[in-house]
Amino acid sequence: MSDLLAALDSLRERLKEIPQADERRLQELKTELLGRKAGALTQILKALPDLGPDERKRVGGAANALKQELERAIAAREANLKQGATNLSGIDLTMPARHQWHGGLHLVTQVVDEICDIFRELGFTRLTGPEAETERYNFYALNFPKDHPALDAQDSFYLGGDVVLRTHTSPVQIRTLETYPPPIRIVVPGRCYRRDPFDASHSPVFEQIEGFAVDEGISFVDFKATLATWARRFFSPQTKVRFRPSYFPFTEPSAEMDVQCQICGGSGCATCKQTGWMEILGSGMVHPAVLENVDVDSEKYTGYAWGMGPERIAMLRHGIPDIRLFFDSDVRFLEQFIGSQEPGVGIQTPGSRLPTP
Ligand code: 2NL
């Protein structure tokens, strides 16, 4: 008889578990203690009819009292859990969210897009072409002499025979001259390859943008005005430019264009090597021999062309000291330049272009 009272005492101990139980545990406890068939308390109540009257009274009273206590405790815990689920208690709403990864276009890609977008506004179509080229398209059509050092395997990547990884995007202009009659106005971005040492200012793989305009009556004035307009939109409206004489086999006359240093404003600093100027591109009037090489009448048509290095321009604009940073894929470097990917609303630097009027 004291067996059943002792069993009730140990069941009473289980009461303590109820306020701590989660929803699942509470369900388990309910079944374990009060289940219709195998519940521990139910077993005791079922045994009552076999007991003598005195014992039945004592055990029955205690068992029913415990049953009520358990039912009340379980109901209270159920209400408590239900309320918790609706007002989010137990969830820390101040906890920082998990880091959200933001992808972005590479800085060089952003600069290429920005440059091409400005030339689009000035009437130039963006165009690309193959990276493996023949010597004819990469060199000879462009008026390179047969003994030019760039034609040596020391300087260019030959894939075999006369096939070479293009050293500039000019072959695309030659292909365009072969395919379409003037007027032609295009900008050609793309990867180029040269056997250069991989150091702070050189990379054997680099991006180039060339521009090219051929029509009747194009003069050096058109060329200077177009490039100066681009520079003022890309850098800032007050930016001064200057042209210095230069030499390329495919242009005559040839010129380098400088812009006022974007870091010091022209007073002299480390980025411009104390000159106050930054060299931005090489250019010139298309050599008549280049036009004649693709059967375009150089008496009727003239044109201008230029080539620029987007990595170099990005470095000058942001004061980046080493071109290899663009190829390391170190996100700590790259994520500093995540823009909105929208031209004109992306990274804002003193040099960012203004919206077109
Ligand atoms: C530079 C110099 C230049 C050109 C590229 C060109 C193309 C044809 C005909 C004539 Cl098809 N010219 N392109 C002209 C002058 C300079 O690039 O320093 N690039 C980074």
Side-chain angles (χ1 to χ4, degrees):
M1 89 172 188
S2 61
D3 271 3
L4 287 177
L5 286 176
L8 281 174
D9 276 345
S10 75
L11 281 186
R12 181 176 295 280
E13 284 297 299
R14 311 292 304 275
L15 265 174
K16 293 180 196 153
E17 291 177 40
I18 293 169
Q20 272 101 53
D22 62 12
E23 229 161 301
R24 204 175 123 185
R25 180 73 192 131
L26 193 63
Q27 209 50 48
E28 283 170 7
L29 283 170
K30 235 165 134 177
T31 315
E32 217 175 288
L33 302 170
L34 301 173
R36 254 172 225 259
K37 283 187 181 152
L41 192 66
T42 317
Q43 298 291 326
I44 293 171
L45 290 168
K46 273 186 188 163
L48 290 178
D50 302 333
L51 302 177
D54 280 357
E55 205 185 350
R56 193 188 314 152
K57 210 172 178 181
R58 251 187 302 152
V59 174
N64 278 315
L66 181 58
K67 189 179 177 197
Q68 273 190 21
E69 277 185 85
L70 286 170
E71 281 170 349
R72 228 175 279 145
I74 287 168
R77 182 59 185 154
E78 270 172 349
N80 193 290
L81 284 172
K82 200 171 163 195
Q83 192 190 27
T86 49
N87 64 15
L88 301 173
S89 69
I91 295 173
D92 180 1
L93 293 175
T94 67
M95 195 167 98
R98 243 176 283 168
H99 176 71
Q100 183 75 48
W101 185 267
H102 278 274
L105 295 182
H106 193 284
L107 175 59
V108 174
T109 305
Q110 295 183 46
V111 167
V112 167
D113 289 347
E114 206 181 324
I115 291 171
C116 292
D117 285 347
I118 296 169
F119 281 113
R120 179 189 158 83
E121 293 164 1
L122 298 175
F124 289 77
T125 299
R126 180 174 174 157
L127 193 66
T128 57
E131 294 181 16
E133 278 289 2
T134 59
E135 286 180 323
R136 183 175 109 75
Y137 283 104
N138 197 76
F139 299 120
Y140 301 137
L142 288 153
N143 202 35
F144 278 66
K146 291 253 177 208
D147 62 353
H148 194 282
L151 277 108
D152 197 294
Q154 296 271 358
D155 280 30
S156 301
F157 290 106
Y158 276 84
L159 298 181
D162 68 340
V163 179
V164 65
L165 290 179
R166 67 181 179 191
T167 59
H168 43 199
T169 60
S170 312
V172 183
Q173 286 93 286
I174 300 298
R175 292 176 179 280
T176 306
L177 280 176
E178 284 182 341
T179 315
Y180 302 99
I184 292 168
R185 273 201 284 273
I186 53 173
V187 277
V188 184
R191 285 231 151 139
C192 302
Y193 305 84
R194 287 182 196 174
R195 286 203 154 205
D196 283 331
F198 196 28
D199 62 25
S201 54
H202 296 84
S203 165
V205 182
F206 59 98
E207 192 77 16
Q208 204 197 13
I209 302 175
E210 287 202 23
F212 189 67
V214 172
D215 197 357
E216 285 181 65
I218 288 189
S219 77
F220 206 79
V221 173
D222 302 300
F223 154 66
K224 285 180 76 174
T226 303
L227 272 292
T229 300
W230 168 78
R232 290 189 197 108
R233 291 203 188 161
F234 184 80
F235 294 105
S236 73
Q238 302 82 24
T239 298
K240 289 199 166 67
V241 300
R242 71 176 185 187
F243 295 86
R244 290 176 292 107
S246 184
Y247 176 82
F248 300 103
F250 30 84
T251 46
E252 181 60 33
S254 305
E256 316 264 348
M257 187 176 87
D258 298 345
V259 300
Q260 242 174 348
C261 179
Q262 298 300 304
I263 304 292
C264 67
S267 56
C269 68
T271 302
C272 64
K273 298 198 191 93
Q274 311 304 328
T275 64
W277 294 93
M278 290 171 158
E279 187 189 315
I280 291 297
L281 56 88
S283 58
M285 301 302 290
V286 178
H287 198 295
V290 173
L291 298 173
E292 296 296 337
N293 282 342
V294 282
D295 291 327
V296 172
D297 184 352
S298 64
E299 293 292 334
K300 185 174 178 195
Y301 294 108
T302 52
Y304 56 86
W306 73 91
M308 47 199 186
E311 284 100 347
R312 200 182 131 71
I313 291 175
M315 288 166 75
L316 292 173
R317 188 194 244 185
H318 296 283
I320 295 165
D322 195 316
I323 197 171
R324 288 170 291 195
L325 287 161
F326 291 132
F327 299 88
D328 286 343
S329 298
D330 184 334
V331 289
R332 292 169 303 177
F333 169 74
L334 296 174
E335 73 187 357
Q336 298 176 82
F337 305 105
I338 294 176
S340 73
Q341 326 302 358
E342 281 287 320
V345 249
I347 38 163
Q348 293 296 317
T349 68
S352 281
R353 64 182 273 251
L354 299 168
T356 309

